[in-house]
Amino acid sequence: MSSRDPGRPPAQRLFAAVLPPARAVTELRTALAPLHALPGAPDLRWTGPEGWHFTLAFYGEVPEDAAPELEARLERAARRTEPFPLRLHGAGHFGGRALWAGAAGGLDTLRLLAERADAAARRAGLPMEEHRRYTPHLTLARSRGAADLRPFAAALAGFEGERWETGELALVRSGLPVSGVPGERPRYATVRAWRLGG
């Protein structure tokens, strides 16, 4: 529970995601290891493998009473989407703010699933930001200020992970750091997951 307003129903910070399988996580960890020795690496906030995911739609604080409708609509979205191939591929950065790994494979289906996850929330009555074209990315590190992330993206540009079959849509809860300890990361927990294609 993350809502502290006693006048509002309890809420959870939720998002829909595709989670990479364990072997893809292991491959990426191995590929990332040399990047930690690059100049500037200690100044970045690296995400942990337990937090690696492809966000499809971010819902923010979802009131407890809205969750059943969202889950029912996500289940329908999963059932209407066939499993598809995916692999981790290359890297990029959003300015000096975030370093990410990309994806290759069934990107049209991944984008369709993202659109359906967004539509599920809208139909469940959740306020969503303006819809933008989905760019699949898995965040690897964030900068506390403006950093030159080009050397990191270049070092990972040739990375090609093994293909896997994406067969699940996950609804994930995000717990923001609360301890105040420097370097503490958000905590993620899968609330529900649905098989693609029914």
Side-chain angles (χ1 to χ4, degrees), residues 36-107:
H36 290 278
L38 293 177
D43 299 326
L44 299 176
R45 289 179 295 145
W46 294 89
T47 58
E50 67 282 354
W52 288 345
H53 57 266
F54 288 99
T55 301
L56 299 172
F58 179 71
Y59 304 131
E61 296 286 336
V62 177
E64 196 173 81
D65 57 3
E69 177 72 11
L70 174 62
E71 291 178 12
R73 292 187 178 278
L74 286 173
E75 181 179 18
R76 196 170 308 140
R79 197 170 52 243
R80 293 175 53 214
T81 309
E82 291 302 315
F84 58 95
L86 204 62
R87 63 186 166 88
L88 294 167
H89 165 79
H93 58 94
F94 296 128
R97 298 176 294 114
L99 173 71
W100 48 264
L107 297 186

Side-chain angles (χ1 to χ4, degrees), residues 106-185:
L107 297 186
D108 287 344
T109 307
L110 181 63
R111 287 188 181 102
L112 176 62
L113 186 57
E115 288 174 12
R116 287 175 172 167
D118 182 90
R122 292 177 192 280
R123 291 185 180 124
L126 297 178
M128 297 291 288
E129 290 183 6
E130 182 181 335
H131 188 68
R132 290 177 287 202
R133 180 165 170 80
Y134 178 68
T135 303
H137 65 279
L138 185 154
T139 303
L140 302 171
R142 292 183 178 85
S143 170
R144 293 175 178 85
D148 184 3
L149 298 175
R150 291 173 298 178
F152 298 94
L156 203 58
F159 174 67
E160 296 288 344
E162 283 187 35
R163 175 188 179 278
W164 77 83
E165 191 79 0
T166 302
E168 204 170 70
L169 166 63
L171 180 63
V172 181
R173 180 176 58 245
S174 170
L176 296 176
V178 293
S179 71
V181 174
E184 184 185 6
R185 298 176 177 142

